[in-house]
Amino acid sequence: MKKPVFFRVLFYALGLLVLALGLTLNTKTGLGVSPIISVAYSISEIFDHNFGNMTLALYSLFVMIEIILHLIRDRKYTKKSGGVLAHAGKADLKFILLLDFLQIPLSLIFTRFLNVFSAIIPDLYSDRQSTAGEMAIRVIVLVIAIILTGIGAAMSLNMRIVPNPGDGIVQAIADTIHKSVGFTKNCFDLTNITITIVLSFVFAGHLVGVGVGTVLAMIGVGRTIAVFNHFTYSKMKELAGVED
C-alpha cells in the first residue's frame, strides 16, 4: 500500500472511531445529545431499543432520502443540459449513487462502534439530583465529547472517501435547494431537535435527549472542526495525498 493511501485510510478510520466515541460520550452526560442522533437516541430510550441499531435505521433512512434527492436533482439537470452534458451528468450520477449506497455498510460498522462504546462507558448521571462534583464532571465530559465529535468529523470528511450519512444528507439537501451547507446543517439540526421534542412529549411526557448539551453541540462541533482544520488540514492533506 502506498504511503498516501495508508494515511488516507488511517485518518478516515481513526476519524470515524473518534466521532463514534464523541457521540457516545455526549449521550453519557445526560445533558443532551448531538442533534444528528437525537431522534435515534430518544426512540431507543423511550421504547427501550438498542441505540446503535436505531442509529443504523435512521442513517439508512438518510441514505434513501439522499438517493431520492440525487435522482430529482439529476432529472432537473439533464432536462436543462441535454446532449453530451446530459450523458456526463448520468455518469456522475452513477458514481454519486454508489457513494450513497456505500454509506449503508459504513453505517453498519459505525453504529457497531457506538454499541461497543455505549457498553463500555458508564452513564455519568442518575435519577437522584446531581452533586456539584458530579455535575462538574458531566460538563467536562460534555466539552470533551463535543471536541472529539468535531475532530472525528473533520478527519473523516477531510479524507473525502464515503461520507457519514449525517453529513451526506445535509450535502444532498444543500445541493437540491441551492443553499449553503452551513445554513442547511443548522436547519437540519433544528428539524431533528423538533422531531425529538415531539416524540419525547407524545410518548414519554418529558424531554428525552434534548438539553443544554444539544445546544452546545450545535455550536461547538462546527467551531471545533474549524479550529482543528486550521492547525492540521494542510499537513493531513499532504500526508494523505488529498487534492483540493
Side-chain angles (χ1 to χ4, degrees):
M1 182 182 293
K2 295 182 179 179
K3 193 173 181 181
V5 176
F6 169 77
F7 278 112
R8 193 168 187 176
V9 173
L10 176 65
F11 290 146
Y12 180 73
L14 187 59
L16 291 178
L17 192 66
V18 172
L19 176 60
L21 177 59
L23 291 174
T24 304
L25 282 175
N26 207 323
T27 68
K28 296 298 182 176
T29 64
L31 297 173
V33 302
S34 183
I36 197 68
I37 60 167
S38 61
V39 175
Y41 179 80
S42 63
I43 293 175
S44 67
E45 288 292 305
I46 294 170
F47 300 104
D48 194 26
H49 291 312
N50 180 273
F51 172 50
N53 292 343
M54 286 299 99
T55 305
L56 175 61
L58 181 68
Y59 278 2
S60 298
L61 177 61
F62 286 174
V63 172
M64 287 189 288
I65 295 174
E66 284 179 56
I67 292 174
I68 293 171
L69 290 176
H70 286 143
L71 289 172
I72 292 173
R73 182 168 174 252
D74 178 73
R75 187 174 294 110
K76 291 181 179 179
Y77 175 78
T78 52
K79 283 182 179 179
K80 291 181 179 179
S81 302
V84 177
L85 288 178
H87 177 74
K90 290 180 180 178
D92 290 340
L93 177 65
K94 292 179 180 178
F95 179 71
I96 291 172
L97 293 180
L98 174 61
L99 291 181
D100 289 343
F101 177 77
L102 290 176
Q103 290 178 47
I104 295 179
L106 167 67
S107 299
L108 179 60
I109 297 172
F110 180 75
T111 54
R112 297 317 93 183
F113 287 154
L114 290 179
N115 276 345
V116 169
F117 288 137
S118 294
I120 294 175
I121 303 172
D123 291 335
L124 301 176
Y125 61 94
S126 59
D127 294 332
R128 60 183 175 78
Q129 187 173 0
S130 297
T131 62
E134 181 182 297
M135 181 57 71
I137 292 175
R138 291 166 64 186
V139 171
I140 291 172
V141 173
L142 174 63
V143 173
I144 294 173
I146 292 172
I147 293 173
L148 290 177
T149 299
I151 291 174
M155 291 180 69
S156 57
L157 286 172
N158 289 346
M159 295 303 101
R160 300 177 189 175
I161 302 179
V162 179
N164 183 294
D167 299 310
I169 190 172
V170 170
Q171 184 67 64
I173 294 172
D175 290 342
T176 302
I177 65 176
H178 305 292
K179 298 292 183 180
S180 69
V181 173
F183 172 80
T184 307
K185 171 66 173 172
N186 289 337
C187 292
F188 190 69
D189 283 346
L190 289 173
T191 300
N192 278 287
I193 293 173
T194 301
I195 293 172
T196 301
I197 292 173
V198 172
L199 289 173
S200 297
F201 281 114
V202 170
F203 294 104
H206 59 86
L207 284 177
V208 178
V210 176
V212 63
T214 307
V215 178
L216 292 177
M218 285 183 64
I219 302 170
V221 171
R223 292 301 86 208
T224 300
I225 291 174
V227 172
F228 181 78
N229 280 341
H230 177 74
F231 290 103
T232 67
Y233 179 67
S234 296
K235 185 62 177 178
M236 288 177 62
K237 182 180 67 173
E238 179 184 347
L239 289 172
V242 177
E243 298 180 359
D244 288 327

